Amino acid sequence: MALLTPEDLENIKRQLQEADSAVRRVTGLDIKGVCKALYGTTSGFETVGIVPVTSGNGIIGNFSASLHAIVEYFGFDSFVTELPDVSGYYEAVQNGAEIILMADDHTFLAHNLTNGKIANNQPCTGMIYAEIASLYTKADSRDVLVVGLGKVGFPGAAHLVHKGFNVYGYDADKNLLNKAISKLGITSFDPETPRKFSIIFEATPCADTIPEAVLSEKCIISTPGIPCAISAELQQKYDVELVMEPLGIGTASMLYSIL
Ligand code: NAI
Ligand code: PYL
Ligand code: MG
């Protein structure tokens, strides 16, 4: 799993504010509004306990502090536990947490202790970035290009199919591409015979995964992928509407999905 770095998370509040402005510009809704469109829920006042986890590669600098800033940005009360791991979980519950947020190297979860609902960051991230792409007000058709059909991309592609979009998908892993074709009924996109799209959703851990030949003027690229899927030059040349943020949009999707 591609892990965040402390550098990815620097100035997370400014990154989230800029992403919220981009989301408002392209969809007419803010991130909270997109979550309401997705899940029908609005900001609760639940208390969120953030528990650092030391397993695997260990604690990531800025990760817990970034979650604290993100959760507060969306109007929830929250605290980061003093202790990590099991002791931290116990501390969170003892101190009144109604929702637990914690992540090891493979799973980032949100668990609502009041209603039992639980969320995984990967599908929640895929769904919200796909939803943002689907709400683009200047789209010229219902054709969407999806690049990356893994743990984030596949659920995002499934959401777009469910919303009735014509999904053209591509993944460097042919097994994953064939799985998406057979399970979701998407159309295989061939990079050798490219065409232009006004809606693009990307979810890969690689740079430059979106070829210039698919970019239309003022197209949207909605991507949680780190690093960015296109160069700054291409973004400028085609006046691309880029929605990209390292952690907050996906975390919001998790929280609103379990209220
Ligand atoms: P994954 O490894 O499950 O899926 C990535 C997919 O991209 C793989 O199937 C791989 O074959 C494909 N791929 C790689 N290079 C490609 C290329 N050049 N063209 C087409 N496909 C290519 O990873 P996962 O969990 O889906 O995460 C995807 C990215 O999203 C990672 O960078 C991860 O760090 C990031 N992420 C970001 C979040 C956020 O909130 N911004 C939240 C969760 C993940
Ligand atoms: C949730 C992020 C989005 C992209 N990759 C995912 C990642 O980096 N996961 C690992 C998170 C580890 C957190 C560490 C801590 O500081 O508590 N265990
Ligand atoms: Mg995000």
Side-chain angles (χ1 to χ4, degrees), residues 3-229:
L3 302 182
L4 286 166
T5 68
E7 293 72 32
D8 291 330
L9 298 172
E10 278 173 9
N11 302 312
I12 191 66
K13 189 169 177 185
R14 178 180 54 74
Q15 292 193 68
L16 191 48
Q17 286 166 334
E18 288 173 358
D20 214 355
S21 300
V23 171
R24 269 196 294 272
R25 189 171 61 246
V26 299
T27 70
L29 299 172
D30 61 7
I31 295 166
K32 272 187 186 178
V34 173
C35 290
K36 185 163 173 59
L38 261 180
Y39 306 113
T41 55
T42 49
S43 178
F45 296 95
E46 289 78 1
T47 299
V48 179
I50 298 159
V51 184
V53 173
T54 62
S55 66
N57 283 274
I59 285 174
I60 295 176
N62 290 339
F63 184 77
S64 292
S66 295
L67 289 181
H68 185 43
I70 288 160
V71 172
E72 302 269 328
Y73 177 88
F74 289 107
F76 296 83
D77 289 328
S78 75
F79 60 92
V80 179
T81 58
E82 293 294 321
L83 296 171
D85 304 325
V86 175
S87 302
Y89 188 99
Y90 186 82
E91 180 188 336
V93 176
Q94 287 291 87
N95 287 282
E98 293 159 287
I99 292 174
I100 299 289
L101 274 187
M102 60 183 180
D104 64 16
D105 291 350
H106 308 282
T107 302
F108 171 22
L109 69 81
H111 188 198
N112 187 328
L113 304 180
T114 307
N115 63 20
K117 291 182 182 179
I118 192 162
N120 180 305
N121 174 262
Q122 286 149 341
C124 285
T125 297
M127 281 183 64
I128 193 165
Y129 277 88
E131 178 72 0
I132 289 165
S134 75
L135 294 172
Y136 185 35
T137 55
K138 296 190 175 71
D140 63 13
S141 82
R142 292 181 71 78
D143 294 353
V144 186
L145 174 62
V146 177
V147 178
L149 293 161
K151 295 184 284 297
V152 172
F154 185 93
H159 180 63
L160 290 163
V161 168
H162 178 73
K163 285 196 79 171
F165 283 78
N166 309 313
V167 177
Y168 297 78
Y170 177 66
D171 194 294
D173 180 328
K174 291 295 168 269
N175 293 330
L176 287 175
L177 174 57
N178 291 332
K179 175 188 161 203
I181 293 167
S182 60
K183 286 186 179 291
L184 302 178
I186 67 167
T187 305
S188 173
F189 168 77
D190 178 4
E192 299 308 313
T193 54
R195 48 152 284 195
K196 292 196 176 291
F197 288 87
S198 66
I199 309 175
I200 300 168
F201 162 57
E202 191 266 9
T204 82
C206 300
D208 305 323
T209 55
I210 296 174
E212 180 171 354
V214 304
L215 299 175
S216 57
E217 189 66 23
K218 284 198 79 60
C219 64
I220 185 172
I221 297 180
S222 180
T223 175
I226 303 170
C228 187

Side-chain angles (χ1 to χ4, degrees), residues 125 129 224 245-251:
T125 297
Y129 277 88
E245 186 275 342
L247 185 59
I249 294 175
T251 301

